[in-house]
């Protein structure tokens, strides 16, 4: 599987080095080599030695693991986990009291995939005890992170480089765009601060918004946030995938357009995807323009004009310039000038799997899982440096195990105290990023909130509230 | 036979959470239902009030399904209110309003499904009533809610002016002027405005123009009611006595119980006497005019020559409703079941039940065909085929089933969309429209589905006849 990822990446110089490193393991360390294939035995090792249980537990406890009297000690144990075991056996409603319990379960069950669900009002493993007859029970989700899921397959209608599960350096910028647009809007528009971006292990990214305000959103409020980002509305029976009516763009959209969409479209997506060089593809774009005069003018100009001397990239850029000029100069109406924006939005604006975001009880794959098909770790992505994130250099399980094996001999001599196995592998970079950029600021906020909530409770008790039916 | 819904002593006696005080008459006719009523109500009133309100809510559900404009809805809803909530003595209107609301809270707090329905309908009712209040009384209500929202200062307005203007232009609305007031509220309060990018967001605040304030009040109403329903459910489960005296419990519980399953349209107890249906017509009718729930049961019965109790009841009473006579019903069921268990066993074990449904055995009550609400609320178990496919089938299963009805792909998508947002009856109506190529009046009852379908088919037939002449 990793091969599959490497091949299309060949033109990309940044991936060359990573491959060389991997190759050198192949050559230099014959005796301690873990082959690329995914194997449950390797997974056991991974959960036993490398998976960052402490960090995960700290994150999902949101400060409720301390000594403060305001802490809710049941908090972590009310969180639902689900495992996908070998042969696609899916187990829901698992819950763990603490790190040791979690570690034991992970090691014993060796899940191929771990999903994280909501926090319920009672321990999900004991939910049956709270069921009242048939139908309804008191058991219900009370909070969960606001999550987003973006998958490259949703861009298949415009990707010319690869399709389906494959990704390459020509299409990955679509994910970079998504991260930039969403991250900025979540922070600036919605005021969220604790946002975790994670590589899904193969062809997409996940986003976890962890502010307490985000965790407490009702389903209706989640829907409204998801719909705020619902700009791309393409389907099989609709050529016009984005409709921007109105005399101006909403400030959030115009920010995305100027800062991200337009530059990325013109510099990367348009030339990399060759959107205008073949007839098949430029037809799709011309169909989005509601003016026959312009479209037939373009067709005439483009058919057979391609000079063999000009590069593919030049052709795309020239044609885009021609099209833009025709649309922008058009005196006809504002609608037509909107077309430029619509084309860019249709090819770059995030295409989110909205259902995942809309419901509190939707589960999402945990960070630091291993993708069973690629063997890659679902590592966090730094949104401020997402341009440099290269999925083909994300560590694989076998790579990590090899690193672990090879570093053994060096440990004795080194003066630096190494307390965790992962510190000796390339996972260290990811876990350190997770700790310092995400976890620490998050826990600082949580502490403050717990304290404030506790004070509030003390005062409330003094004032004895009454509730109504 | 008077009883107290509750006395304040009983409610708050042991520090229970249901403590309430006498509703302070706010002077506004529109109640926020913040406190439980503390009034004398007779058992008859208890039920009658609730039924009348239920008629209003049902009416709202029907008109909403028809996607009218907001202003039109206002009139319809207010008319419904006037028609059903009239009291002989105008002074009693407030009492009827509050009592009926709280009785229905009891009835509709018990499952997620019921709560969702009740919340949606009550919020809609409140919204329309609020919109029809004078601006004076609107302001008063907002004061009652102590909405903490402040208008933004002139300085802040100046800073945001450009962006606020951009939002207006994106909606093709006039630009804000110096004296347009904007309120700064948490974005969670105005999901409708967030969803459509109808407002400016910044740092987690929504900047809401004064004209949209009504939405805020409705939003508050909704959130508070939603919380209250969950609480009510918990306490009803724990002890009925917290809402009424122990000795009232036996009389009240069944009323409340039945309120949540009561269907208020025609009840189809008496079969359509004009229609004469014999068992040999059934195959044809099932194809053309059965709603999916009955179509499925019918098909399973033909395939398996058996149905479990829930299915026999649901289908049997429906068939009675469409005009299948007792003798024909007996012949029909016997014919099917005999394939599997033989005629003798049928006569011994199942015939009684068929006669029973026609009111010929036992208590001799004429049993009523199930309404959609009742079917949707049912909980089919393993081996059962009854229930509403839109509610009880998995998505893949439903998609496949809809496919066999030869629904087009976009129609199937539209149905599934409705199902995902839990509008099962709307989904059924959408399927009806796709199958019949003609709008439905909304689906509340499988027998009503059947009648509508037949009416349409008859008119097509007769117009074909007249066209031929
Ligand atoms: S909505 Fe009503 S009529 Fe339609 S399938 Fe469901 S229960 Fe039957
Ligand atoms: Zn690609």
């Amino acid at each position: 599987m990793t091969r599959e990822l490497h091949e299309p990446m060949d033109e990309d110089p940044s991936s060359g080095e990573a491959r060389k490193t991997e190759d050198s393991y192949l050559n230099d360390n014959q005796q301690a080599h873990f082959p690329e294939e995914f194997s449950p035995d390797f997974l056991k090792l991974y959960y036993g030695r490398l998976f960052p249980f402490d960090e995960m537990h700290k994150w999902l406890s949101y400060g409720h693991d301390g000594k403060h009297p305001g802490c809710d000690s049941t908090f972590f144990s009310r969180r639902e986990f689900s495992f996908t075991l070998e042969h696609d056996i899916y187990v829901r409603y698992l819950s763990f009291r603490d790190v040791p319990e979690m570690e034991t379960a992970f090691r014993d069950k060796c899940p191929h995939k771990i999903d994280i669900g909501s926090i319920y009002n009672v321990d999900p493993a004991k939910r049956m005890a709270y069921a009242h007859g048939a139908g309804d029970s008191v058991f219900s989700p009370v909070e969960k992170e606001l999550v987003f899921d973006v998958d490259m397959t949703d861009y298949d209608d415009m990707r010319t480089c690869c399709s389906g599960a494959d990704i390459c350096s020509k299409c990955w910028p679509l994910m970079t765009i998504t991260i930039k647009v969403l991250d900025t809007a979540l922070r600036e528009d919605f005021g969220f601060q604790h946002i975790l971006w994670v590589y899904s292990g193969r062809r997409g990214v996940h986003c976890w918004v962890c502010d307490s305000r985000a965790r407490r959103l009702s389903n209706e409020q989640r829907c409204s946030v998801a719909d705020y980002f619902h700009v791309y509305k393409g389907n099989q029976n609709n050529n016009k995938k984005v409709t921007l009516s109105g005399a101006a763009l909403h400030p959030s959209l115009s920010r995305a357009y100027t800062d991200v969409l337009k530059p990325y479209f013109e510099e990367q997506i348009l030339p990399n995807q060759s959107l205008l060089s073949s007839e098949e593809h430029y037809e799709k774009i011309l169909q989005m323009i509601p003016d026959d005069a312009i479209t037939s003018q373009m067709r005439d100009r483009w058919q057979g004009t391609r000079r063999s001397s000009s590069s593919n990239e030049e052709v795309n850029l020239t044609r885009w310039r021609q099209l833009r000029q025709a649309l922008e100069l058009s005196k006809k109406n504002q609608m037509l000038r909107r077309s430029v924006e619509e084309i860019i939005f249709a090819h770059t604006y995030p295409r989110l799997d909205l259902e995942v975001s809309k419901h509190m009880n939707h589960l999402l794959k945990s960070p630091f899982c291993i993708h069973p098909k690629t063997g890659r770790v679902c590592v966090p992505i730094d949104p401020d440096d997402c341009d440099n994130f290269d999925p083909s250099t994300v560590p694989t399980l076998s790579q990590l195990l090899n690193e672990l094996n090879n570093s053994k001999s060096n440990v004795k001599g080194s003066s630096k105290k190494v307390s965790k196995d992962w510190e000796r592998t390339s996972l260290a970079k990811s876990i350190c990023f997770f700790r310092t950029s995400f976890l620490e600021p998050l826990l600082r906020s949580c502490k403050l909130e717990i304290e404030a909530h506790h004070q509030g409770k003390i005062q409330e008790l003094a004032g004895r509230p009454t509730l109504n039916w | 036979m008077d009883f107290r819904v509750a006395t304040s002593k009983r409610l708050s006696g042991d520090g229970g959470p249901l403590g309430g005080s006498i509703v302070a008459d706010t002077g506004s006719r529109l109640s926020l239902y913040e406190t439980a009523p503390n009034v004398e109500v007779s058992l008859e009133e208890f039920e009658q009030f609730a039924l009348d309100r239920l008629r209003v809510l049902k009416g709202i559900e029907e008109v909403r399904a028809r996607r009218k404009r907001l202003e039109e809805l206002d009139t319809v809803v207010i008319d419904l209110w006037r028609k059903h909530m009239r009291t002989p003595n105008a002074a009693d209107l407030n009492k009827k309003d509050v009592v009926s609301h709280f009785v229905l809270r009891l009835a509709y707090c018990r499952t997620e499904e019921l709560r969702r329905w009740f919340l949606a309908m009550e919020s809609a009712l409140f919204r329309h009533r609020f919109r029809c209040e004078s601006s004076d009384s609107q302001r008063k209500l907002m004061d009652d809610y102590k909405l903490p929202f402040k208008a933004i200062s002139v300085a802040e307005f100046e800073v945001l002016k450009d962006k606020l203007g951009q939002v207006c232009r994106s909606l093709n609305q006039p630009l804000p002027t110096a004296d347009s007031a904007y309120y700064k509220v948490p974005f969670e309060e105005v999901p409708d405005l967030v969803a459509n990018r109808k407002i400016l967001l910044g740092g987690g605040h929504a900047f809401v123009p004064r004209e949209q304030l009504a939405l805020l009040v409705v939003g508050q109403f909704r959130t508070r009611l939603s919380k209250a329903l969950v609480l009510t459910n918990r306490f009803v489960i724990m002890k009925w006595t917290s809402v009424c005296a122990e000795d009232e419990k036996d009389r009240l519980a069944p009323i409340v119980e039945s309120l949540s399953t009561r269907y208020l349209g025609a009840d189809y107890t008496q079969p359509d006497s004009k229609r004469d249906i014999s068992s040999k017509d059934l195959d044809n009718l099932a194809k053309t005019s059965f709603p999916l729930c009955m179509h499925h049961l019918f098909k399973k019965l033909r395939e398996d020559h058996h149905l479990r109790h829930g299915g026999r009841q649901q289908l049997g009473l429906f068939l009675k409703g469409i005009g299948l006579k007792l003798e024909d019903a007996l012949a029909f069921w016997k014919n099917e079941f005999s394939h599997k268990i033989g005629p003798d066993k049928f006569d011994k074990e199942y015939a009684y039940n068929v006669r029973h449904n026609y009111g010929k055995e036992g208590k001799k009550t004429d049993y009523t065909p199930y309404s959609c609400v009742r079917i949707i609320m049912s909980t089919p178990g393993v081996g059962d085929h009854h229930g509403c496919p839109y509610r009880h089938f998995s998505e893949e299963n439903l998609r496949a089933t809809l496919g066999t009805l030869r629904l087009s792909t976009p129609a199937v998508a539209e149905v599934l969309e409705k199902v995902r947002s839990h509008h099962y009856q709307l989904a059924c109506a959408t399927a009806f429209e796709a199958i019949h190529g003609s709008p439905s009046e909304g689906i509340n009852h499988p027998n009503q589905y059947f009648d509508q379908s037949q009416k349409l088919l008859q008119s097509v037939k007769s117009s074909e006849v007249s066209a031929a002449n």
Side-chain angles (χ1 to χ4, degrees):
Chain A
M1 262 308 171
T2 33
R3 290 281 160 264
E4 206 177 302
L5 276 176
H6 279 150
E7 257 127 43
M9 282 277 186
D10 271 347
E11 309 94 317
D12 184 357
S14 66
S15 69
E17 205 176 8
R19 210 167 24 154
K20 211 174 89 223
T21 338
E22 244 179 70
D23 287 347
S24 66
Y25 285 121
L26 280 171
N27 302 331
D28 305 338
N29 299 288
Q30 302 286 354
Q31 75 276 52
H33 176 67
F34 289 91
E36 282 295 332
E37 291 84 56
F38 177 86
S39 120
D41 294 335
F42 297 176
L43 254 190
K44 247 196 177 85
L45 276 171
Y46 177 70
Y47 291 131
R49 315 248 328 245
L50 296 170
F51 190 86
F53 287 102
D54 284 330
E55 283 72 16
M56 290 292 289
H57 176 261
K58 272 215 167 61
W59 164 31
L60 296 172
S61 298
Y62 289 102
H64 287 285
D65 51 354
K67 304 239 154 25
H68 192 281
C71 282
D72 173 356
S73 60
T74 69
F75 192 87
F76 180 75
S77 60
R78 287 187 281 122
R79 168 79 71 166
E80 175 187 359
F81 289 80
S82 81
F83 285 173
T84 308
L85 307 176
E86 213 170 351
H87 311 302
D88 273 337
I89 297 167
Y90 187 53
V91 193
R92 276 199 68 175
Y93 299 118
L94 300 169
S95 62
F96 313 109
R97 234 181 342 205
D98 47 23
V99 175
E101 219 180 272
M102 203 175 161
E103 278 182 300
T104 316
F106 278 49
R107 263 177 229 153
D108 291 356
K109 298 272 157 28
C110 203
H112 289 200
K113 177 166 167 251
I114 301 146
D115 286 291
I116 301 180
S118 342
I119 298 166
Y120 285 82
N121 51 351
V122 294
D123 180 345
K126 302 195 189 109
R127 69 193 183 285
M128 286 323 211
Y130 297 90
H132 285 263
D136 198 34
S137 77
V138 189
F139 178 67
S140 58
V142 287
E143 56 178 85
K144 208 201 70 198
E145 295 76 9
L146 171 66
V147 295
F148 296 93
D149 180 6
V150 203
D151 192 306
M152 194 66 90
T153 43
D154 287 329
Y155 294 81
D156 274 355
D157 68 312
M158 61 161 284
R159 285 201 293 159
T160 54
C161 49
C162 33
S163 66
D166 298 339
I167 51 161
C168 71
S169 62
K170 286 183 171 174
C171 50
W172 186 256
L174 289 164
M175 291 296 137
T176 314
I177 295 170
T178 295
I179 296 178
K180 291 196 165 193
V181 169
L182 230 61
D183 197 69
T184 310
L186 289 168
R187 285 176 208 272
E188 292 188 5
D189 300 351
F190 291 94
F192 295 130
Q193 293 171 358
H194 305 291
I195 302 172
L196 176 68
W197 287 95
V198 185
Y199 175 48
S200 74
R202 179 147 67 159
R203 56 185 181 201
V205 290
H206 296 158
C207 172
W208 299 78
V209 187
C210 303
D211 297 61
S212 58
R213 242 176 115 171
R215 281 181 273 135
R216 289 187 200 126
L217 292 176
S218 67
N219 279 341
E220 193 189 16
Q221 290 160 340
R222 279 164 211 262
C223 289
S224 77
V225 180
D227 284 336
Y228 188 77
F229 295 110
H230 191 193
V231 176
Y232 178 83
K233 300 185 175 169
N235 64 44
Q236 288 303 313
N237 304 299
N238 187 2
N239 299 329
K240 218 165 154 194
K241 296 160 196 300
V242 174
T243 307
L244 304 165
S245 44
L249 285 178
H250 184 278
S252 178
L253 297 186
S254 79
R255 180 190 53 214
Y257 182 74
T258 338
D259 296 352
V260 185
L261 307 183
K262 187 159 177 281
Y264 272 82
F265 179 80
E266 295 184 338
E267 285 155 31
Q268 306 208 27
I269 306 300
L270 174 70
N272 288 350
Q273 297 297 332
S274 305
L275 292 175
L276 291 175
S277 46
S278 83
E279 182 169 343
E280 183 196 344
H281 287 98
Y282 71 60
E283 269 309 320
K284 279 194 201 162
I285 290 184
L286 291 180
Q287 276 170 19
M288 295 175 68
I289 299 164
D291 183 285
D292 292 341
I294 293 187
T295 51
S296 57
Q297 183 198 338
M298 290 298 132
R299 255 179 224 119
D300 290 347
R301 261 178 110 162
W302 295 346
Q303 263 153 16
T305 59
R306 189 169 170 177
R307 270 170 294 133
S308 48
S309 61
S310 54
S311 75
N312 195 16
E313 193 169 323
E314 273 170 62
V315 173
N316 279 296
L317 291 176
T318 322
R319 288 182 176 177
W320 175 241
R321 222 174 301 125
Q322 291 164 349
L323 180 60
R324 250 180 65 183
Q325 263 167 14
L327 290 169
E328 279 164 1
L329 290 176
S330 153
K331 304 248 157 20
K332 277 234 186 89
N333 53 31
Q334 166 197 320
M335 277 295 290
L336 225 45
R337 261 165 286 156
R338 266 291 115 81
S339 294
V340 175
E341 289 163 6
E342 285 179 346
I343 292 170
I344 294 187
F345 268 91
H347 289 90
T348 51
Y349 195 83
R351 303 183 183 182
L352 306 172
D353 183 346
L354 293 173
E355 287 309 309
V356 176
S357 310
K358 285 181 172 177
H359 305 285
M360 192 188 286
N361 55 10
H362 217 109
L363 297 105
L364 190 67
K365 181 157 62 162
S366 165
F368 299 108
C369 268
I370 305 286
H371 194 290
K373 293 273 162 51
T374 62
R376 294 193 190 278
V377 188
C378 301
V379 291
I381 301 175
D382 181 357
D384 294 331
D385 190 34
C386 56
D387 279 308
N388 293 317
F389 179 83
D390 178 353
S392 70
T393 61
V394 169
T396 62
L397 175 54
S398 50
Q399 177 193 339
L400 293 177
L401 295 177
N402 282 323
E403 287 170 3
L404 198 60
N405 248 353
N406 296 327
S407 64
K408 250 185 204 153
S409 47
N410 313 337
V411 170
K412 276 177 216 145
S414 97
S415 54
K416 208 172 130 246
K417 192 176 160 280
V418 172
S419 55
K420 297 264 189 177
D421 283 337
W422 55 254
E423 290 176 24
R424 293 184 277 126
T425 70
S426 40
L427 200 55
K429 197 172 123 246
S430 298
I431 297 181
C432 288
F433 168 78
F434 182 81
R435 266 191 189 169
T436 51
S437 302
F438 169 69
L439 199 51
E440 284 166 13
L442 171 70
L443 295 183
R444 273 196 295 277
S445 305
C446 292
K447 294 263 146 66
L448 291 177
E449 275 165 27
I450 290 175
E451 173 62 23
H453 184 75
H454 183 62
Q455 290 305 330
K457 256 209 170 133
I458 293 176
Q459 271 161 30
E460 201 181 286
L461 276 177
R464 251 234 113 95
T466 48
L467 292 169
N468 297 299
W469 329 352
Chain B
M1 194 210 298
D2 282 1
F3 87 105
R4 278 172 179 274
V5 170
T7 70
S8 60
K9 186 159 163 281
R10 219 174 266 151
L11 281 175
S12 48
D14 47 357
L18 299 177
S21 55
I22 295 171
V23 190
D25 190 350
T26 56
S28 163
R29 288 171 302 125
L30 189 47
S31 173
L32 302 175
Y33 314 107
E34 290 282 79
T35 37
N38 183 8
V39 285
E40 302 267 332
V41 195
S42 71
L43 204 51
E44 287 73 35
E45 280 177 325
F46 184 92
E47 185 174 22
Q48 195 51 51
F49 286 0
L51 278 175
D52 285 342
R53 191 183 196 88
L54 206 46
R55 291 198 170 90
V56 177
L57 299 184
K58 279 281 179 191
I60 294 178
E61 182 183 31
E62 272 164 39
V63 294
R64 272 178 25 137
R66 273 177 252 151
R67 290 188 221 111
K68 287 210 162 110
R69 281 165 21 98
L70 196 57
E71 291 75 20
E72 286 176 273
L73 282 174
D74 281 342
T75 357
V76 181
V77 171
I78 295 302
D79 285 350
L80 276 168
W81 180 260
R82 294 220 178 98
K83 182 169 160 215
H84 296 296
M85 295 301 281
R86 250 193 331 237
T87 46
N89 187 343
D92 286 339
L93 183 64
N94 248 332
K95 168 174 151 188
K96 180 167 177 180
D97 180 12
V98 175
V99 169
S100 61
H101 172 88
F102 278 96
V103 174
L104 289 187
R105 260 195 207 184
L106 280 178
Y108 281 80
C109 69
R110 292 169 314 146
T111 70
E112 176 68 36
E113 204 78 53
L114 289 169
R115 286 196 291 272
R116 193 181 294 127
W117 185 84
F118 183 67
L119 189 60
M121 296 313 140
E122 280 284 338
S123 302
L125 172 61
F126 183 86
R127 176 172 185 196
H128 295 296
R129 289 180 69 200
F130 183 86
R131 284 170 50 89
C132 298
E133 293 279 310
S134 71
S135 56
D136 248 11
S137 108
Q138 283 185 344
R139 197 158 320 125
K140 249 182 124 188
L141 270 158
M142 287 172 34
D143 290 345
D144 287 349
Y145 257 159
K146 302 198 185 58
L147 292 184
F149 313 135
K150 293 258 168 341
I152 60 174
S153 67
V154 180
E156 206 168 348
F157 177 76
E158 281 306 317
V159 175
L160 295 171
K161 207 168 93 184
D162 287 347
K163 284 188 174 169
L164 291 169
Q166 218 180 319
V167 175
C168 292
R169 286 197 295 137
S170 78
L171 301 165
N172 294 327
Q173 282 166 357
L175 292 181
T177 61
D179 52 29
S180 359
Y182 278 88
Y183 288 78
K184 191 172 171 172
V185 307
F187 76 86
E188 291 94 333
E189 299 282 342
V190 282
D192 292 352
L193 298 179
V194 171
N196 301 308
R197 270 173 262 109
K198 281 202 186 126
I199 30 140
L200 179 65
L201 284 184
H205 305 289
F207 297 90
V208 181
R210 184 172 41 208
E211 304 78 65
Q212 302 276 18
L213 271 182
L215 271 178
L216 287 179
V217 185
V218 179
Q220 279 288 317
F221 176 85
R222 210 190 149 86
T223 332
R224 294 185 196 199
L225 180 55
S226 166
K227 284 195 193 127
L229 282 171
V230 173
L231 274 181
T232 311
N233 182 35
R234 273 188 214 152
F235 290 105
V236 170
I237 285 174
M238 287 197 319
K239 45 178 189 177
W240 253 96
T241 43
S242 54
V243 280
C244 65
E246 185 63 44
D247 52 328
E248 308 287 2
K249 182 186 149 186
D250 294 343
R251 288 203 298 269
L252 289 185
I255 297 181
V256 168
E257 187 87 17
S258 75
L259 276 171
S260 60
T261 50
R262 186 116 29 142
Y263 170 72
L264 292 164
D267 71 1
Y268 301 95
T269 309
Q270 296 307 319
D272 194 336
S273 51
K274 280 176 262 111
R275 205 182 289 125
D276 192 13
I277 284 177
S278 80
S279 50
K280 64 179 189 314
D281 304 328
L282 288 177
D283 280 300
N284 239 333
L285 289 170
K287 238 181 256 145
T288 58
S289 298
F290 280 19
L292 202 51
C293 52
M294 301 305 169
H295 187 265
H296 179 66
L297 282 172
F298 190 79
K299 197 173 119 229
K300 282 293 156 198
L301 176 63
R302 286 273 193 223
E303 281 169 17
D304 302 348
H305 309 296
H306 188 78
L307 278 180
R308 288 158 57 101
H309 181 74
R312 293 199 303 272
Q313 290 301 100
Q314 184 175 315
L315 179 61
L317 290 169
F318 168 78
L319 293 177
K320 179 176 94 164
I322 67 170
L324 189 71
K325 303 267 168 354
L326 174 62
E327 297 71 48
D328 289 315
L330 278 169
F332 166 71
W333 289 103
K334 186 167 180 173
N335 183 30
E336 282 308 325
F337 272 60
S338 299
H339 286 295
K340 197 158 188 176
I341 56 168
D344 293 344
K345 194 163 177 213
F346 177 84
D347 286 339
K348 255 189 254 139
E349 289 177 25
Y350 296 97
Y352 174 90
N353 192 236
V354 176
R355 281 198 298 273
H356 186 85
N357 279 346
Y358 279 76
K360 299 288 185 267
E361 297 279 0
K363 282 191 283 177
K364 305 261 160 89
T365 19
D366 221 352
Y367 287 91
T368 314
Y370 296 165
S371 70
C372 291
V373 175
R374 174 145 187 197
I375 294 174
I376 289 170
M377 298 300 167
S378 65
T379 47
V382 181
D384 280 333
H385 287 291
H386 66 276
C388 170
Y390 301 102
R391 167 71 180 84
H392 296 113
F393 278 23
S394 71
E395 185 165 326
E396 304 87 80
N397 217 334
L398 181 58
R399 191 192 296 275
T401 314
L402 288 170
T404 65
L405 297 181
R406 271 169 295 162
L407 246 58
S408 68
T409 317
V412 171
E414 201 187 329
V415 170
L416 291 176
E417 185 64 41
K418 300 247 156 68
V419 168
R420 278 185 216 120
S421 43
H422 308 284
H423 293 309
Y424 311 115
Q425 287 162 260
L426 287 185
C428 186
T430 307
F432 180 97
E433 288 170 14
I435 293 166
H436 295 81
S438 159
S440 83
E441 324 158 351
I443 303 298
N444 286 309
H445 201 293
N447 289 81
Q448 175 213 5
Y449 182 109
F450 179 85
D451 286 354
Q452 273 188 52
S453 167
Q454 283 292 300
K455 224 181 281 162
L456 275 172
L457 295 174
Q458 298 302 340
S459 71
V460 171
K461 232 184 250 161
S462 61
S463 67
E464 271 164 9
V465 171
S466 54
N469 287 343

